[in-house]
């Protein structure tokens, strides 16, 4: 996907089986044994001076942040549950180090956040980042464990609210690599990523009723509905004051950046895999 974006063969690439954001350089972590996100970003950096990484999984994107914590060529932005919760990182004061200071953005959240509150922090922060950082490409990790009803999660987002984040990032018309991630109520994961695929290909006006099918229809009982309703029993522990305080602090950190960083011109390394070059050649021949 990153190679296709680099060569202008696609505007958006999707890999729902990717998004393994916890893996580290020398160890597996959190069901992630290889960090495909870091590898994709390294590929994108061959052609783009700056890459933005956005993470809406309920868990902090610690492996990606750690990989790029001291550079200004990658900005990481994670919205996640923080506290007594895996992986235990992603405090608002974790802002990067050295050349990477202010290029790590973390919004630590509490249990129960819903669509309205999430979008009210997500949109202004992403807008500010796009304005001050001006990335050449964006990688969006769409972990579905931030949905309501997830077995390991504690947020109250609906499929529509989660998808609105994807739609907003897409609206900037920057080359976009969209990845999966966590999600432990798997029928809801399927709902989410089906809807977000529709959003990404401009077909979001899907019928909400899931079509009857001999193989999987009962899997979506009893509603047989694409969309989820927020749980009325989940308490939102994120007060308006809390969200406003942290949103303001993050926007102030971003205001410390003095324009988008540049990079010295250099020879472009070869694509990472020979098969990618073969595919690129085939695509070029088919389009000619």
């Amino acid at each position: 996907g990153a190679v296709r974006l680099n060569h202008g063969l696609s505007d958006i690439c999707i890999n729902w089986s990717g998004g393994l954001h916890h893996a580290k350089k020398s160890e597996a972590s959190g069901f992630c044994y290889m960090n495909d996100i870091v590898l994709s970003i390294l590929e994108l950096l061959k052609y783009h001076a700056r890459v933005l990484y956005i993470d809406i999984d309920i868990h902090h994107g610690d492996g990606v942040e750690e990989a790029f914590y001291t550079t200004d060529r990658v900005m990481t932005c994670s919205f996640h549950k923080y506290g007594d919760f895996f992986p235990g990182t992603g405090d608002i004061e974790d802002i990067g180090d050295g050349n990477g200071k202010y290029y790590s953005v973390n919004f630590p959240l509490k249990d129960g956040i819903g669509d309205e509150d999430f979008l009210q922090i997500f949109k202004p922060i992403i807008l500010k980042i796009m304005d001050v950082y001006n990335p050449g490409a964006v990688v969006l990790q769409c972990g579905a464990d931030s949905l309501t009803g997830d077995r390991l999660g504690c947020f109250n987002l609906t499929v529509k609210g989660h998808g609105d984040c994807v739609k907003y990032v897409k609206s900037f018309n920057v080359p976009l690599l969209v990845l999966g991630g966590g999600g432990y109520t798997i029928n809801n994961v399927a709902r989410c990523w089906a809807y977000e695929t529709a959003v990404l290909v401009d077909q979001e006006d899907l019928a909400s009723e899931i079509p009857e099918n001999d193989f999987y229809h009962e899997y979506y009982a009893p509603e047989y509905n694409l969309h989820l309703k927020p749980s009325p029993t989940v308490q939102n522990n994120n007060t308006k004051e809390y969200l406003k305080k942290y949103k303001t602090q993050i926007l102030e950190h971003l205001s410390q950046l003095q324009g988008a960083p540049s990079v010295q011109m250099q020879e472009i390394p070869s694509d990472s895999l020979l098969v990618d070059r073969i595919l690129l050649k085939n695509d070029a021949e088919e389009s000619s």
Side-chain angles (χ1 to χ4, degrees):
V3 173
R4 292 189 64 86
L5 293 176
N6 281 345
H7 290 273
L9 295 172
S10 300
D11 299 317
I12 300 171
C13 290
I14 305 170
N15 177 19
W16 293 127
S17 63
L20 307 179
H21 59 171
H22 295 308
K24 309 294 177 58
K25 183 177 181 179
S26 58
E27 65 178 2
S29 177
F31 308 133
C32 306
Y33 66 93
M34 179 184 70
N35 201 314
D36 61 292
I37 305 170
V38 170
L39 297 178
S40 297
I41 292 173
L42 291 173
E43 191 69 25
L44 290 167
L45 288 172
K46 295 177 182 179
Y47 284 77
H48 301 281
R50 296 170 301 281
V51 175
L52 169 63
Y53 172 67
I54 304 169
D55 192 317
I56 57 173
D57 192 294
I58 197 171
H59 301 96
H60 177 233
D62 57 331
V64 185
E65 179 183 276
E66 181 180 299
F68 301 110
Y69 201 65
T70 60
T71 180
D72 59 5
R73 291 198 61 197
V74 178
M75 178 175 283
T76 61
C77 179
S78 180
F79 301 82
H80 51 269
K81 159 75 174 172
Y82 182 72
D84 185 18
F85 197 75
F86 182 85
T89 52
D91 186 68
I92 194 165
E93 297 296 341
D94 296 337
I95 59 174
D97 194 26
N99 291 337
K101 188 175 181 180
Y102 299 124
Y103 291 94
S104 292
V105 178
N106 286 295
F107 203 122
L109 293 162
K110 302 178 182 181
D111 291 7
I113 193 165
D115 293 351
E116 182 178 357
D117 284 340
F118 195 91
L119 289 165
Q120 284 182 354
I121 60 171
F122 183 83
K123 287 186 175 181
I125 289 172
I126 297 303
L127 177 62
K128 181 68 172 180
I129 289 174
M130 297 300 288
D131 182 45
V132 300
Y133 193 60
N134 190 26
V138 176
V139 178
L140 175 60
Q141 200 267 22
C142 300
D145 46 10
S146 47
L147 291 175
T148 185
D150 188 82
R151 293 183 181 185
L152 297 186
C154 54
F155 286 177
N156 204 17
L157 299 181
T158 68
V159 168
K160 178 66 166 56
H162 201 273
D164 281 346
C165 295
V166 176
K167 183 177 180 180
Y168 188 68
V169 174
K170 176 180 178 287
S171 71
F172 290 95
N173 295 315
V174 175
L176 178 60
L177 179 61
V178 180
L179 305 172
Y184 306 97
T185 302
I186 56 177
N187 47 349
N188 289 347
V189 175
R191 286 179 164 102
C192 183
W193 292 345
Y195 176 69
E196 289 174 351
T197 300
V199 167
L200 291 164
V201 297
D202 298 320
Q203 299 293 325
E204 65 181 286
D205 294 329
L206 295 175
S208 188
E209 183 177 351
I210 295 175
E212 188 170 349
N213 183 281
D214 292 338
F215 300 102
Y216 61 78
H217 193 56
E218 291 303 315
Y219 197 59
Y220 300 99
E223 295 88 0
Y224 305 103
N225 203 301
L226 177 66
H227 290 283
L228 302 173
K229 296 178 182 178
S231 172
T233 62
V234 172
Q235 179 178 340
N236 184 2
N237 293 330
N238 301 273
T239 64
K240 299 292 185 185
E241 293 76 18
Y242 176 86
L243 295 174
K244 181 179 179 181
K245 174 187 174 183
Y246 277 20
K247 179 177 73 173
T248 300
Q249 186 171 340
I250 289 171
L251 293 175
E252 287 175 352
H253 284 167
L254 292 169
S255 296
Q256 301 298 316
L257 301 178
Q258 303 298 318
S262 58
V263 62
Q264 186 176 0
M265 294 293 293
Q266 56 187 339
E267 183 179 353
I268 298 175
S270 61
D271 296 327
S272 60
L273 299 174
L274 177 60
V275 66
D276 292 326
R277 295 198 290 275
I278 294 172
L279 290 172
L280 292 169
K281 180 181 178 181
N282 291 342
D283 284 340
E285 290 174 351
E286 289 174 4
S287 62
S288 61

